Amino acid sequence: MAIINAAEFWKIMKRLIEQLSKSFNDIRRCGILFLLCVGMFGNGEVQGRPSGNGSPAEGFAPAKNGRDFDRISIHPNSEDWLFTECSHELNPAGDCLVLRYNLKTQQLQRYQLPDGYLYSYASFSPQGHYIVINRAPKHDGSETQIQQSIENAEIVVMRSNGTDFRVLPLAKGSKLAPFMSLDETKIAYWRPGVLRSPGGKTMSTDFDVYEYDLKSQSDSLFSGRYQFFEAGNAQYISADEILLSSYGPRKYAQSMGDYQKKYNGSEVYKLKRNNPDLPVPSFTEIEHARDSSADNQGNTYFSGQKLPSPGASFFKRSPAGDITLWQQPLNLIALRHVVAAPDGRYIAFIYASEGSRYRDQKSAFGRLDTGTPQWLPIDMPALAASTLLPVRPATD
């Protein structure tokens, strides 16, 4: 019998789940599942031993009753979180809502967005003035209607107070996970090159980053056509450079094992505008680097593992190249999304709740306070306790 290491085991498991993800209650659980997989798998690969400054906090208690949360975007004030939740609590027919939570006041608000759509991947702009969101028409759950919904997906933008809501005039087709440029004049997003017919192993693949210019209303590839198998976190780190996590450029599809071995399993890239050549992965000194994000001081954060000890950890790499690590608690092994606060005081994450399966979509929030360090669960208020934030369309 062949023996595989933990990293390869989780890669195989990820592919199996992708093949099984064909009937879901909402758009995110099908055509957009790939974005969540990047964060979840690979963070339960090893059980590292405590090691000095990187020792995991004792007493982290994972939530037992999770909810269907999706991604975290953090306001530049590092206090407000933006995320979506799919739930039947407020509407028996089901909704995917855009929510805003304040860490200090613990107040939960929900944006009163137009009905008839499933909302996902909400993101604050770097200066906090705007919010960009994915939406797709609701469907009956059949594979045909799911595919039609994905093909009719849209990106909407509004001010963070809910005013000036509008739909971007983008070409028809799947478009995912939008994020804004540092000067808030452009919106980048993932677009797949292939949308497969119902019954395929995956709904879409061959992803590249496109960019829409709000002033000129032009839409084009940000850099080369790299055709990644899947996609993850992405953000501008300069006017002409994007930091992102992604797995599997098509160029190396037939030799992915060798490619991963060469770059130590890194899934972190820095794309430069109008560069046709695929950049080499970054942070290859850490095994299986992924879930990348950056703070306002130029530090980069990512998850990965440092063997033989301490194992699965969060990492910070300074502009000078210094690396700090925090070992994950051993009972925190299924991360769905990881992002650093703009001021670097903490790293927020979504994880699969205790006792749940990945496909159950039962998740909870937590954060690592980088200065303490402490791993802290976040008790999110119930949807019924949230207050409405009115949304008003643009008048132009």
Side-chain angles (χ1 to χ4, degrees), residues 124-140:
F124 282 118
S125 64
Q127 299 179 39
H129 297 135
Y130 297 94
I131 291 171
V132 289
I133 313 168
N134 268 128
R135 75 173 186 180
K138 289 185 176 181
H139 53 79
D140 63 7

Side-chain angles (χ1 to χ4, degrees), residues 280-299:
V280 299
S282 300
F283 313 122
T284 55
E285 65 269 40
I286 302 300
E287 190 170 359
H288 298 296
R290 64 194 71 187
D291 305 319
S292 56
S293 60
D295 67 18
N296 292 335
Q297 291 76 47
N299 299 301

Side-chain angles (χ1 to χ4, degrees), residues 188-193 206-211 220-230 240-242 244 246 248-251 269-280:
Y189 62 96
W190 288 98
R191 184 187 283 274
D206 290 359
F207 294 93
D208 283 298
V209 176
Y210 283 72
E211 182 183 66
S220 60
L221 271 170
F222 179 79
S223 53
R225 192 177 296 279
Y226 306 132
Q227 299 177 296
F228 291 107
F229 177 74
E230 58 190 16
D240 297 311
E241 192 170 22
I242 288 174
L244 60 81
S246 189
R250 174 170 288 278
K251 179 179 179 180
Y269 296 84
K270 293 180 180 179
L271 306 189
K272 293 186 177 180
R273 183 184 300 280
N274 298 325
N275 179 19
D277 300 321
L278 176 72
V280 299

Side-chain angles (χ1 to χ4, degrees), residues 352-365:
S353 57
E354 188 176 33
S356 67
R357 299 173 302 171
Y358 176 71
R359 287 186 292 154
D360 294 335
Q361 293 293 320
K362 299 297 184 183
S363 303
F365 292 107

Side-chain angles (χ1 to χ4, degrees), residues 248-394:
R250 174 170 288 278
K251 179 179 179 180
Y252 297 99
Q254 302 305 315
S255 57
M256 189 54 61
D258 292 338
Y259 179 78
Q260 289 275 298
K261 183 177 180 179
K262 180 178 180 180
Y263 295 110
N264 210 14
S266 173
E267 299 176 11
V268 179
Y269 296 84
K270 293 180 180 179
L271 306 189
K272 293 186 177 180
R273 183 184 300 280
N274 298 325
N275 179 19
D277 300 321
L278 176 72
V280 299
S282 300
F283 313 122
T284 55
E285 65 269 40
I286 302 300
E287 190 170 359
H288 298 296
R290 64 194 71 187
D291 305 319
S292 56
S293 60
D295 67 18
N296 292 335
Q297 291 76 47
N299 299 301
T300 305
Y301 301 78
F302 51 92
S303 64
Q305 59 191 58
K306 190 172 178 63
L307 297 176
S309 175
S313 303
F314 288 174
F315 295 82
K316 179 179 78 172
R317 190 179 190 273
S318 74
D322 299 323
I323 290 181
T324 305
L325 68 86
W326 301 272
Q327 186 189 357
Q328 292 174 209
L330 300 183
N331 56 357
L332 183 63
I333 62 173
L335 299 179
R336 299 184 185 277
H337 187 234
V338 181
V339 64
D343 63 6
R345 288 188 298 110
Y346 63 86
I347 301 171
F349 54 90
I350 300 176
Y351 64 96
S353 57
E354 188 176 33
S356 67
R357 299 173 302 171
Y358 176 71
R359 287 186 292 154
D360 294 335
Q361 293 293 320
K362 299 297 184 183
S363 303
F365 292 107
R367 79 173 192 261
L368 162 67
D369 286 347
T370 56
T372 317
Q374 286 183 298
W375 296 79
L376 304 171
I378 302 294
D379 186 14
M380 192 60 61
L383 279 175
S386 64
T387 58
L388 276 178
L389 278 170
V391 172
R392 295 188 293 274

Side-chain angles (χ1 to χ4, degrees), residues 67 80-83 85 89-90 97-102 105-113 158 160-162 380-391:
R67 290 153 60 180
D80 289 307
W81 289 9
L82 197 68
F83 57 93
E85 180 179 359
E89 182 179 344
L90 303 180
L97 307 167
V98 176
L99 302 168
R100 183 170 179 164
Y101 174 71
N102 185 276
T105 66
Q106 299 183 5
Q107 181 183 19
L108 182 65
Q109 298 173 296
R110 69 182 188 277
Y111 286 93
Q112 195 171 18
L113 292 159
M158 64 181 178
S160 55
N161 64 3
M380 192 60 61
L383 279 175
S386 64
T387 58
L388 276 178
L389 278 170
V391 172

